[in-house]
C-alpha cells in the first residue's frame, strides 16, 4: 500500500428509484451478471469486517493497522449501500432475490464462520491447542479474503476502464454505484494480501485458497445471475457462459479469458496486488463521481 495514502470512508448515497431493470440497454445479460456480483457481496463484506476485527489485535505495524481499519469502514459502507439501494431496486422491479441472499449467507455466515473446536476438556494443553487452532483458522480466513479481494480489484479496474459503460444510455446512477465500489476496491487492493502476510500467512495457503475461491465464486455468480435471468421473459435461454462471452465481446463484461489469466497470475509466488491496478485511476474516479462529490459536499456543509 502507498506509504502516505490513508483509506477514508466515503459516505455515498444512491437513489435508484428511476433506474430501469435493463440498465445497460440492449444488454440485460451484462446487467444481471453485474447485479449478481453486488447482490452476493454484502454478506461477504460483512464477514470480511468481522474477520478483520478479530485480526486487528495482532497487527503490530501502525500503517497496516490504519489500512485495516480504513478497509473495514469502506467494506461496511459497500455492504450497506448494496443492501439498501440495490436490493430495493431489484425487488421494486419484481425480481425475487431472497433465494440468492440465503445462498450468500449460507456461504459467509454459515460455512466460513464455523469455529473449529476439539473436545479436549479444560486443561493447559487443550487451551494451547485451541489457541493455535484459532490462530490457524484466522490465517486461513485472511487467505480466503485475500483471494476474493484479488478478484474484486480485477473487476474494479475493469469497471473503471470499460468504455462500453460510458454510453449515454447506460443508467448513470448504477454506473456510478459500481464504479465508486470498483474504485475503492482498487484503492484498498493491497490490504488483504499484506494483512495475511503480516500474520504469518504463507504463499502456499494463499495459492491453495485461490484455487478453491475462483470456481466457487464463478459458480455462485452463475447461480445468482441465472436465478434473476430466469425471472425475466426478455432474456433468452442460452448457456450462461456463452451469454457472458457474447457480452464481453460487446465490452459490457470482462472476458472470461482475462479472469482466468488473473486467477493464474495470483498463483505466481512473487504476486503482489500493488501491480494489478493504479491508485491514481481510483483517485481520478472519486474526483468525477457524482455520489462521492455529493458525499464530500454534505461533509463540508456539516462541518
Ligand atoms: Fe467492497
Ligand atoms: Fe474490498
Amino acid at each position: 500500500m502507498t506509504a502516505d495514502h490513508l483509506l477514508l470512508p466515503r459516505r455515498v448515497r444512491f437513489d435508484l428509484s428511476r433506474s430501469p431493470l435493463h440498465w445497460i440497454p440492449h444488454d440485460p445479460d451484462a446487467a444481471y451478471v453485474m447485479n449478481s456480483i453486488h447482490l452476493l457481496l454484502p454478506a461477504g463484506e460483512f464477514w470480511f469486517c468481522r474477520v478483520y476485527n478479530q485480526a486487528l489485535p495482532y497487527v503490530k505495524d501502525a500503517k497496516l493497522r490504519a489500512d485495516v481499519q480504513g478497509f473495514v469502514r469502506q467494506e461496511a459502507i459497500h455492504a450497506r449501500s448494496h443492501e439498501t439501494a440495490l436490493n430495493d431496486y431489484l425487488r421494486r422491479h419484481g425480481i425475487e432475490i431472497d433465494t440468492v441472499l440465503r445462498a450468500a449467507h449460507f456461504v459467509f455466515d454459515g460455512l466460513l464462520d464455523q469455529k473449529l473446536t476439539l473436545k479436549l476438556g479444560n486443561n493447559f494443553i487443550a487451551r494451547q491447542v485451541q489457541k493455535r487452532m484459532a490462530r490457524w483458522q484466522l490465517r486461513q480466513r485472511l487467505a480466503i479474503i485475500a483471494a476474493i479481494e484479488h478478484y474484486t480489484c480485477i473487476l474494479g479496474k475493469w469497471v473503471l476502464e470499460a468504455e462500453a459503460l460510458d454510453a449515454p444510455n447506460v443508467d448513470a446512477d448504477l454506473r456510478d454505484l459500481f464504479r465508486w465500489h470498483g474504485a475503492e476496491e482498487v484503492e484498498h487492493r493491497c490490504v488483504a494480501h499484506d494483512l495475511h502476510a503480516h500474520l504469518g500467512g504463507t504463499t502456499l495457503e494463499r495459492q491453495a485458497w485461490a484455487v478453491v475461491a475462483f470456481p466457487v465464486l464463478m459458480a455462485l455468480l452463475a447461480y445468482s445471475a441465472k436465478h434473476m435471468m430466469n425471472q425475466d421473459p426478455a432474456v433468452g435461454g442460452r448457456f450462461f457462459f456463452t451469454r457472458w462471452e457474447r457480452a464481453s465481446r460487446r465490452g459490457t463484461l470482462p472476458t472470461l479469458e482475462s479472469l482466468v489469466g488473473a486467477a493464474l497470475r495470483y498463483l505466481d509466488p512473487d504476486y503482489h496486488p500493488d501491480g494489478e491496478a493504479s491508485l491514481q485511476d481510483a483517485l481520478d474516479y472519486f474526483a468525477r463521481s457524482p455520489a462521492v462529490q455529493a458525499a464530500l459536499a454534505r461533509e463540508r456543509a456539516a462541518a
Side-chain angles (χ1 to χ4, degrees), residues 41 45 48 74-75 78-79 149 152 181 185 188:
L41 276 177
E45 290 169 322
F48 294 179
Q74 289 190 343
E75 292 294 7
H78 298 171
E149 281 289 303
T152 58
H181 190 166
E185 293 302 325
H188 69 221

Side-chain angles (χ1 to χ4, degrees), residues 14-20 81-82 84-90 92-93 171-175 177-178:
F14 293 94
D15 175 11
L16 304 181
S17 58
R18 294 175 306 279
S19 300
S81 299
H82 291 300
T84 50
L86 193 73
N87 293 9
D88 289 353
Y89 150 81
L90 288 168
R92 202 172 48 251
H93 283 290
D171 185 79
D173 295 305
L174 273 154
R175 176 174 53 208
L177 170 68
F178 291 133

Side-chain angles (χ1 to χ4, degrees), residues 240-259:
F240 176 74
F241 288 107
T242 308
R243 305 160 75 99
W244 183 315
E245 198 47 46
R246 283 177 170 227
S248 73
R249 269 184 255 142
R250 294 187 290 268
T252 49
L253 284 180
T255 65
L256 291 166
E257 271 175 326
S258 71
L259 295 182

